[in-house]
Amino acid sequence: QKEVEQNSGPLSVPEGAIASLNCTYSDRGSQSFFWYRQYSGKSPELIMSIYSNGDKEDGRFTAQLNKASQYVSLLIRDSQPSDSATYLCAAASGGSYIPTFGRGTSLIVHP
Amino acid sequence: SAVISQKPSRDICQRGTSLTIQCQVDSQVTMMFWYRQQPGQSLTLIATANQGSEATYESGFVIDKFPISRPNLTFSTLTVSNMSPEDSSIYLCSVEWAENSGNTIYFGEGSWLTVV
Protein backbone atom coordinates (compact mmCIF):
# COMPACT_ATOMS: atom_id res chain seq x y z
CA GLN A 1 0.00 0.00 0.00
CA LYS A 2 1.34 3.38 -1.00
CA GLU A 3 1.86 5.67 1.96
CA VAL A 4 3.00 9.22 2.45
CA GLU A 5 4.00 10.12 5.98
CA GLN A 6 4.15 13.54 7.55
CA ASN A 7 4.51 14.77 11.10
CA SER A 8 1.13 16.25 11.97
CA GLY A 9 2.69 19.02 14.08
CA PRO A 10 1.93 21.68 14.86
CA LEU A 11 5.25 23.14 13.83
CA SER A 12 5.60 26.54 15.42
CA VAL A 13 8.18 29.03 14.13
CA PRO A 14 8.71 32.74 14.74
CA GLU A 15 8.08 35.23 12.00
CA GLY A 16 11.12 35.58 9.75
CA ALA A 17 12.49 32.11 10.51
CA ILE A 18 12.87 29.18 8.15
CA ALA A 19 10.13 26.58 8.41
CA SER A 20 11.16 23.05 7.44
CA LEU A 21 8.46 20.54 6.56
CA ASN A 22 9.31 16.91 5.92
CA CYS A 23 7.68 13.98 4.18
CA THR A 24 8.58 10.36 3.45
CA TYR A 25 6.95 8.04 0.95
CA SER A 26 6.81 4.28 0.65
CA ASP A 27 6.47 3.68 -3.09
CA ARG A 28 9.89 3.62 -4.76
CA GLY A 29 8.13 4.00 -8.10
CA SER A 30 6.96 7.50 -7.19
CA GLN A 31 8.18 10.05 -9.70
CA SER A 32 6.14 13.19 -9.06
CA PHE A 33 5.96 15.03 -5.77
CA PHE A 34 3.80 17.91 -4.68
CA TRP A 35 3.33 20.29 -1.81
CA TYR A 36 -0.10 21.78 -1.24
CA ARG A 37 -1.07 24.46 1.23
CA GLN A 38 -4.50 24.31 2.83
CA TYR A 39 -5.87 27.13 4.90
CA SER A 40 -8.59 26.30 7.38
CA GLY A 41 -11.91 26.12 5.59
CA LYS A 42 -10.31 26.20 2.13
CA SER A 43 -9.34 23.65 -0.49
CA PRO A 44 -5.72 22.62 -1.10
CA GLU A 45 -3.65 24.98 -3.22
CA LEU A 46 -0.60 23.72 -5.12
CA ILE A 47 2.55 25.58 -4.13
CA MET A 48 5.36 23.37 -5.44
CA SER A 49 5.93 20.34 -7.61
CA ILE A 50 9.24 18.51 -7.99
CA TYR A 51 10.16 15.64 -10.26
CA SER A 52 13.92 15.14 -10.00
CA ASN A 53 16.47 14.81 -7.23
CA GLY A 54 17.81 18.02 -5.77
CA ASP A 55 16.37 21.40 -4.93
CA LYS A 56 13.75 23.48 -6.67
CA GLU A 57 13.24 27.07 -5.62
CA ASP A 58 10.25 29.31 -6.16
CA GLY A 59 10.32 32.58 -4.31
CA ARG A 60 10.44 31.89 -0.57
CA PHE A 61 9.76 28.18 -1.11
CA THR A 62 12.34 25.46 -1.77
CA ALA A 63 11.37 21.85 -2.36
CA GLN A 64 14.01 19.18 -1.86
CA LEU A 65 13.81 15.64 -3.18
CA ASN A 66 15.97 12.65 -2.33
CA LYS A 67 14.65 9.56 -4.09
CA ALA A 68 17.31 7.27 -2.59
CA SER A 69 16.06 8.15 0.89
CA GLN A 70 12.43 8.48 -0.27
CA TYR A 71 12.30 11.88 1.32
CA VAL A 72 10.77 15.18 0.28
CA SER A 73 10.97 18.45 2.16
CA LEU A 74 9.68 21.98 1.86
CA LEU A 75 11.56 24.97 3.21
CA ILE A 76 9.81 28.27 3.71
CA ARG A 77 12.19 31.17 4.15
CA ASP A 78 11.27 34.39 5.93
CA SER A 79 8.11 32.77 7.30
CA GLN A 80 5.11 35.06 7.63
CA PRO A 81 1.97 34.68 9.75
CA SER A 82 0.09 34.30 6.46
CA ASP A 83 2.02 31.05 5.90
CA SER A 84 0.16 29.50 8.84
CA ALA A 85 -1.73 26.61 7.29
CA THR A 86 -1.65 22.84 6.86
CA TYR A 87 0.88 21.65 4.29
CA LEU A 88 0.06 18.46 2.43
CA CYS A 89 2.73 16.34 0.79
CA ALA A 90 1.73 14.11 -2.12
CA ALA A 91 3.48 11.55 -4.30
CA ALA A 92 2.42 10.03 -7.62
CA SER A 93 3.84 6.98 -9.37
CA GLY A 94 5.04 6.93 -12.92
CA GLY A 95 2.25 6.18 -15.35
CA SER A 96 -0.40 7.38 -12.91
CA TYR A 97 -0.64 10.99 -11.98
CA ILE A 98 -3.10 10.33 -9.20
CA PRO A 99 -1.19 11.30 -6.07
CA THR A 100 -1.31 9.76 -2.63
CA PHE A 101 -1.56 12.42 0.05
CA GLY A 102 -0.07 12.62 3.49
CA ARG A 103 -2.13 13.78 6.43
CA GLY A 104 -0.51 17.16 6.46
CA THR A 105 1.65 19.20 8.81
CA SER A 106 0.14 22.15 10.60
CA LEU A 107 2.44 25.18 10.50
CA ILE A 108 1.99 28.12 12.86
CA VAL A 109 4.05 31.25 12.29
CA HIS A 110 3.81 33.53 15.29
CA PRO A 111 4.67 37.24 15.22
CA SER B 1 -4.03 26.18 -14.66
CA ALA B 2 -7.72 25.42 -15.06
CA VAL B 3 -10.41 27.24 -13.11
CA ILE B 4 -12.55 24.67 -11.27
CA SER B 5 -15.90 25.68 -9.85
CA GLN B 6 -17.96 23.59 -7.47
CA LYS B 7 -21.42 23.99 -6.11
CA PRO B 8 -22.84 23.94 -3.58
CA SER B 9 -19.94 25.33 -1.61
CA ARG B 10 -21.60 24.38 1.63
CA ASP B 11 -24.76 22.60 2.73
CA ILE B 12 -26.44 21.11 5.73
CA CYS B 13 -28.25 17.91 4.83
CA GLN B 14 -30.76 15.70 6.56
CA ARG B 15 -29.91 12.12 7.32
CA GLY B 16 -31.18 9.76 4.63
CA THR B 17 -31.27 12.33 1.85
CA SER B 18 -29.00 12.61 -1.18
CA LEU B 19 -27.09 15.59 -2.51
CA THR B 20 -25.48 16.16 -5.89
CA ILE B 21 -22.32 18.23 -6.17
CA GLN B 22 -21.47 19.83 -9.49
CA CYS B 23 -18.01 20.52 -10.84
CA GLN B 24 -17.39 22.78 -13.84
CA VAL B 25 -13.98 23.34 -15.44
CA ASP B 26 -13.23 26.24 -17.74
CA SER B 27 -11.14 24.06 -20.08
CA GLN B 28 -11.47 20.58 -21.45
CA VAL B 29 -9.61 18.08 -19.30
CA THR B 30 -9.14 14.37 -19.73
CA MET B 31 -8.88 13.37 -16.10
CA MET B 32 -11.29 14.46 -13.38
CA PHE B 33 -11.34 13.08 -9.88
CA TRP B 34 -13.42 13.27 -6.74
CA TYR B 35 -11.78 13.34 -3.30
CA ARG B 36 -13.14 13.34 0.21
CA GLN B 37 -11.51 14.98 3.20
CA GLN B 38 -13.03 14.03 6.50
CA PRO B 39 -12.47 16.29 9.53
CA GLY B 40 -8.83 16.25 10.56
CA GLN B 41 -7.91 13.78 7.85
CA SER B 42 -6.07 13.92 4.58
CA LEU B 43 -7.48 13.57 1.12
CA THR B 44 -8.93 10.24 0.04
CA LEU B 45 -9.64 9.52 -3.60
CA ILE B 46 -13.23 8.41 -4.15
CA ALA B 47 -13.16 7.81 -7.88
CA THR B 48 -11.93 8.85 -11.28
CA ALA B 49 -14.72 10.35 -13.36
CA ASN B 50 -14.46 8.91 -16.86
CA GLN B 51 -16.01 10.77 -19.75
CA GLY B 52 -18.60 8.64 -21.48
CA SER B 53 -18.22 5.60 -19.24
CA GLU B 54 -18.67 4.47 -15.67
CA ALA B 55 -16.43 6.00 -13.02
CA THR B 56 -13.52 4.02 -11.60
CA TYR B 57 -13.97 3.69 -7.85
CA GLU B 58 -11.29 3.24 -5.24
CA SER B 59 -11.42 0.53 -2.62
CA GLY B 60 -14.09 1.28 -0.06
CA PHE B 61 -16.25 3.40 -2.36
CA VAL B 62 -19.16 2.07 -4.40
CA ILE B 63 -21.33 3.43 -7.16
CA ASP B 64 -24.57 2.99 -5.23
CA LYS B 65 -23.33 5.33 -2.52
CA PHE B 66 -21.39 7.77 -4.71
CA PRO B 67 -22.83 7.80 -8.23
CA ILE B 68 -20.77 9.96 -10.59
CA SER B 69 -21.58 11.42 -13.97
CA ARG B 70 -19.16 12.81 -16.56
CA PRO B 71 -21.16 13.82 -19.61
CA ASN B 72 -18.35 15.84 -21.23
CA LEU B 73 -14.77 17.00 -20.77
CA THR B 74 -15.65 20.04 -18.66
CA PHE B 75 -18.31 18.83 -16.24
CA SER B 76 -18.89 16.15 -13.62
CA THR B 77 -21.25 15.48 -10.74
CA LEU B 78 -20.89 13.47 -7.56
CA THR B 79 -23.95 12.38 -5.63
CA VAL B 80 -23.69 11.41 -1.98
CA SER B 81 -26.63 9.04 -1.46
CA ASN B 82 -28.60 8.14 1.64
CA MET B 83 -26.41 10.36 3.77
CA SER B 84 -25.44 9.67 7.37
CA PRO B 85 -23.46 11.83 9.78
CA GLU B 86 -20.32 9.87 8.78
CA ASP B 87 -20.61 11.46 5.34
CA SER B 88 -20.00 14.90 6.81
CA SER B 89 -16.92 15.92 4.93
CA ILE B 90 -15.35 18.16 2.36
CA TYR B 91 -15.83 16.84 -1.15
CA LEU B 92 -13.31 18.06 -3.69
CA CYS B 93 -13.36 17.95 -7.45
CA SER B 94 -9.93 17.88 -9.03
CA VAL B 95 -8.43 17.77 -12.49
CA GLU B 96 -5.15 16.63 -13.93
CA TRP B 97 -3.42 19.45 -15.74
CA ALA B 98 -0.43 19.11 -18.04
CA GLU B 99 2.36 21.62 -17.47
CA ASN B 100 5.82 21.89 -18.97
CA SER B 101 7.48 20.08 -16.08
CA GLY B 102 4.84 17.42 -15.62
CA ASN B 103 1.23 16.69 -14.81
CA THR B 104 -0.30 18.25 -11.73
CA ILE B 105 -3.54 17.92 -9.80
CA TYR B 106 -5.57 21.05 -9.11
CA PHE B 107 -8.59 21.28 -6.83
CA GLY B 108 -11.87 23.09 -6.89
CA GLU B 109 -13.01 25.17 -3.94
CA GLY B 110 -14.65 22.19 -2.29
CA SER B 111 -18.13 21.40 -1.05
CA TRP B 112 -18.54 21.34 2.73
CA LEU B 113 -21.32 18.95 3.69
CA THR B 114 -22.71 18.56 7.19
CA VAL B 115 -25.22 15.75 7.75
CA VAL B 116 -27.53 16.12 10.72
Side-chain angles (χ1 to χ4, degrees):
Chain A
Q1 185 173 350
K2 302 174 186 178
E3 292 183 341
V4 174
E5 300 287 343
Q6 295 180 256
N7 187 320
S8 61
L11 172 66
S12 182
V13 301
E15 183 174 358
I18 296 176
S20 177
L21 304 164
N22 304 314
C23 168
T24 59
Y25 59 95
S26 65
D27 182 9
R28 284 199 170 273
S30 298
Q31 296 187 5
S32 306
F33 304 88
F34 311 93
W35 283 99
Y36 290 83
R37 177 177 61 198
Q38 187 173 24
Y39 292 114
S40 180
K42 300 292 186 181
S43 67
E45 170 194 11
L46 179 71
I47 54 173
M48 290 285 286
S49 58
I50 187 167
Y51 303 93
S52 55
N53 276 331
D55 295 359
K56 179 181 178 183
E57 185 174 319
D58 183 359
R60 295 187 296 113
F61 299 97
T62 299
Q64 299 175 318
L65 174 60
N66 184 325
K67 289 186 178 180
S69 300
Q70 296 178 244
Y71 179 89
V72 191
S73 66
L74 179 70
L75 301 178
I76 306 175
R77 290 181 299 280
D78 188 25
S79 295
Q80 301 297 310
S82 59
D83 295 325
S84 299
T86 296
Y87 289 80
L88 302 169
C89 175
S93 301
S96 166
Y97 294 104
I98 303 174
T100 299
F101 285 85
R103 298 180 69 164
T105 297
S106 174
L107 173 66
I108 299 171
V109 181
H110 53 87
Chain B
S1 63
V3 175
I4 308 165
S5 302
Q6 277 186 243
K7 59 181 182 181
S9 58
R10 194 176 297 272
D11 208 340
I12 299 174
C13 307
Q14 295 295 317
R15 184 192 302 248
T17 62
S18 299
L19 182 80
T20 296
I21 303 167
Q22 298 181 3
C23 177
Q24 180 73 54
V25 189
D26 70 342
S27 304
Q28 292 187 339
V29 292
T30 302
M31 304 296 286
M32 291 181 74
F33 310 96
W34 287 97
Y35 282 85
R36 180 174 73 180
Q37 187 177 32
Q38 294 179 303
Q41 302 296 314
S42 189
L43 303 170
T44 302
L45 181 64
I46 298 172
T48 301
N50 299 310
Q51 193 268 327
S53 64
E54 190 172 289
T56 303
Y57 289 86
E58 298 298 304
S59 176
F61 298 96
V62 295
I63 188 171
D64 289 347
K65 177 66 175 178
F66 298 101
I68 289 171
S69 78
R70 178 90 190 272
N72 56 50
L73 294 176
T74 63
F75 186 78
S76 179
T77 67
L78 168 73
T79 298
V80 186
S81 303
N82 187 25
M83 286 186 283
S84 67
E86 291 72 33
D87 294 318
S88 297
S89 187
I90 307 167
Y91 292 87
L92 293 155
C93 173
S94 67
V95 304
E96 181 185 50
W97 190 257
E99 298 178 331
N100 289 337
S101 52
N103 288 25
T104 304
I105 300 292
Y106 289 95
F107 290 92
E109 310 103 321
S111 298
W112 268 249
L113 301 188
T114 301
V115 184
V116 298

